[in-house]
Amino acid sequence: MNIPIIDLHCHSNVSDGLLSPAELMSHAAENNVQAIALTDHDDIAGLSEASITAKSLNIIFINGVEISVTWKKRTLHIVGLNFDKDNKLLFQGLKKIRDGRYKRAQLMADGLGMAGIQGAMDGAKSYAKNSTIGRIHFAQFLVAQGYAKDISAVFKKFLTPGKPGYVDHEWISLEESIRLINGAGGDAIIAHPGRYDMGNKLYPKLFQEFKDLGGTGVEVMSGSQDPSQANYFSKLAANYNLFSSCGSDFHGKGISHRALGNVRSLPNDSIPIWTKWDQIKKLFH
Ligand code: AMP
Ligand code: MN
Ligand code: MN
Ligand code: MN
């Protein structure tokens, strides 16, 4: 049987991706993606355009967002899927996070200024345009100015903890992120858990707390984590009755590890998140 290609995590230029929501959906069609969720950072402004285009291309579209969260002094990303995009509290909650992002960006520019790099705020803004500003936009500016050879090198040198452009920002709590997503009728998913490097004690703590707060699933397969971790996270998710999700975390050519739709199948013991959803179930009939 041909396994349907389902990609539940990717970015448009509403946050830090390179393609517009419509271009991203056309690219998904080129890559034979059958169901997709657009999950921009802290912003859902791309969902209408993406869903209209996806529909015209016969791709099943799932509303999505990737929320920035602080848990035990660490930054985590919580993906929200299949919610009502017109929910007021979700809109207001995301707006608050974006305001915080803007303030963080100013502090990042101050830090870079003290390291002798002037004009970083305007530089980053010129890449962000009207979208939700983030570290990628600073990375693009710094690469263009010749401060590092590529995006990956620039993160290492300037934009990670301890480096001049890094700001230890307080995002919303795990509890609040799940409340916003569940309140809009969606499912909360721990994004790319492998990226948090927590160790065998803290991961179970996170999964337990997430489940107790009303979380639904975990990205067992992600373009931004090592595929060899899938079995570990699949088993851990099952221990806490959490569903499994998968996504490429595609941002655009040159700034992503993985192509759009390039998500390997979930381990056999996973219970895919879409078994909860009528829209996707039909792909399996
Ligand atoms: P922000 O939410 O603004 O802190 O930015 C986080 C985003 O930066 C991630 O979603 C990735 O798109 C990108 N990112 C983080 N670390 C790296 C890295 N080492 N190399 C390339 N992109 C990265
Ligand atoms: Mn990103
Ligand atoms: Mn992320
Ligand atoms: Mn992402």
Side-chain angles (χ1 to χ4, degrees):
M1 190 184 91
N2 255 350
I3 299 168
I5 300 178
I6 299 171
D7 192 337
L8 300 177
H9 187 149
C10 61
H11 297 267
S12 76
N13 63 6
V14 162
S15 63
D16 55 2
L18 297 181
L19 302 176
S20 70
E23 288 165 346
L24 189 67
M25 294 305 115
S26 300
H27 187 45
E30 281 164 12
N31 288 5
N32 300 313
V33 175
Q34 283 150 286
I36 194 163
L38 171 62
T39 54
D40 277 310
H41 294 284
D42 309 315
D43 207 330
I44 55 175
L47 298 182
S48 293
E49 178 184 315
S51 72
I52 290 167
T53 312
K55 204 170 171 191
S56 74
L57 295 165
N58 217 4
I59 299 173
I60 297 167
F61 187 79
I62 304 291
N63 287 331
V65 65
E66 181 173 18
I67 301 184
S68 313
V69 159
T70 300
W71 184 75
K72 294 192 187 298
K73 299 198 159 55
R74 294 158 185 266
T75 297
L76 304 183
H77 287 170
I78 301 298
V79 160
L81 294 175
N82 209 17
F83 49 80
D84 168 17
K85 68 175 169 39
D86 298 320
N87 181 274
K88 277 214 172 65
L89 290 177
L90 177 62
F91 180 87
Q92 286 163 4
L94 295 175
K95 169 84 171 65
K96 183 177 97 177
I97 307 173
R98 292 198 298 276
D99 292 345
R101 263 187 181 278
Y102 194 81
K103 287 188 189 127
R104 178 188 71 149
Q106 286 168 320
L107 296 175
M108 286 171 66
D110 292 348
L112 290 167
M114 281 193 285
I117 301 172
Q118 304 308 323
M121 188 67 186
D122 285 342
K125 273 187 184 164
S126 74
Y127 287 93
K129 303 205 175 68
N130 293 323
S131 65
T132 293
I133 196 161
R135 280 187 288 165
I136 287 240
H137 305 117
F138 283 89
Q140 288 168 318
F141 164 73
L142 291 168
V143 171
Q145 295 292 305
Y147 288 106
K149 69 173 191 327
D150 58 25
I151 298 279
S152 166
V154 97
F155 265 89
K156 269 204 195 110
K157 217 165 145 189
F158 293 103
L159 301 172
T160 42
K163 301 297 157 65
Y166 186 80
V167 170
D168 205 7
H169 185 69
E170 181 84 22
W171 303 101
I172 66 170
S173 68
L174 182 64
E175 183 177 3
E176 195 177 348
S177 70
I178 297 169
R179 197 180 327 121
L180 290 175
I181 295 163
N182 288 355
D187 289 316
I189 310 284
I190 300 173
H192 43 60
R195 279 245 305 257
Y196 309 134
D197 205 13
M198 282 181 181
N200 293 342
K201 289 231 167 64
L202 207 48
Y203 277 120
K205 268 211 173 78
L206 169 64
F207 281 34
Q208 176 77 68
E209 192 174 325
F210 179 72
K211 176 71 184 178
D212 291 345
L213 290 169
T216 309
V218 175
E219 274 181 2
V220 162
M221 275 289 183
S222 162
S224 47
Q225 77 191 13
D226 187 339
S228 69
Q229 296 171 304
N231 286 328
Y232 173 71
F233 288 118
S234 179
K235 285 201 169 54
L236 199 58
N239 285 348
Y240 295 95
N241 289 318
L242 291 161
F243 288 84
S244 294
S245 187
C246 59
S248 62
D249 208 358
F250 178 77
H251 285 70
K253 285 187 185 129
I255 57 170
S256 288
H257 307 292
R258 209 64 78 77
L260 187 60
N262 181 2
V263 271
R264 292 181 217 179
S265 24
L266 290 166
N268 285 334
D269 57 355
S270 289
I271 304 174
I273 182 73
W274 54 81
T275 57
K276 285 189 80 210
W277 306 334
D278 290 338
Q279 306 100 296
I280 291 196
K281 269 187 202 160
K282 67 182 181 211
L283 286 179
F284 292 86
H285 288 150

